[in-house]
């Protein structure tokens, strides 16, 4: 998949041409030489946004509800009071 880049000026002068180009590949629109927007079809946008899970869904981990977890007891030798002398 390639990427097409046009300046803001080119986009403003011929938006129809840029929209036709976006049917095939994403079009980066630059502002003063720096990418500022991406134009793509709604179908392409939905493909990339519908598959992603939110951070809440990832942290919920619904498939791990039946895991038994017993953390080991800490050995009291792991810590000592600070020696402030």
């Amino acid at each position: 998949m390639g990427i097409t880049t046009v300046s803001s000026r080119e986009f403003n002068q011929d938006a129809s041409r840029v929209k036709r180009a976006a049917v095939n590949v994403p079009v980066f629109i630059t502002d003063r030489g720096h990418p500022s927007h991406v134009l793509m079809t709604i179908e392409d946008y939905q493909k990339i946004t519908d598959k992603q899970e939110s951070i809440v869904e990832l942290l919920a981990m619904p498939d791990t509800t039946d895991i038994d977890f017993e953390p080991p007891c800490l050995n009291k030798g792991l810590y000592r009071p600070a020696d402030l002398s």
Side-chain angles (χ1 to χ4, degrees):
M1 172 171 87
I3 295 175
T4 301
T5 303
V6 298
S7 68
S8 293
R9 178 176 285 178
E10 290 174 292
F11 177 74
N12 288 334
Q13 289 175 347
D14 197 356
S16 297
R17 179 182 62 84
V18 178
K19 286 171 32 178
R20 282 191 303 272
V23 170
N24 301 318
V25 294
V27 178
F28 280 38
I29 302 169
T30 61
D31 189 15
R32 297 183 183 170
H34 299 285
S36 61
H37 296 83
V38 178
L39 182 65
M40 62 177 62
T41 63
I42 191 67
E43 291 84 9
D44 289 342
Y45 174 77
Q46 288 171 338
K47 284 180 193 173
I48 63 173
T49 57
D50 288 344
K51 292 181 182 178
Q52 296 178 352
E53 295 178 298
S54 72
I55 189 69
V56 173
E57 292 166 338
L58 292 171
L59 291 174
M61 299 177 11
D63 298 334
T64 59
T65 56
D66 61 343
I67 293 177
D68 292 328
F69 177 68
E70 301 253 349
C73 293
L74 290 177
N75 186 349
K76 292 190 183 221
L78 290 176
Y79 65 91
R80 287 180 275 150
D83 183 11
L84 302 175
S85 58

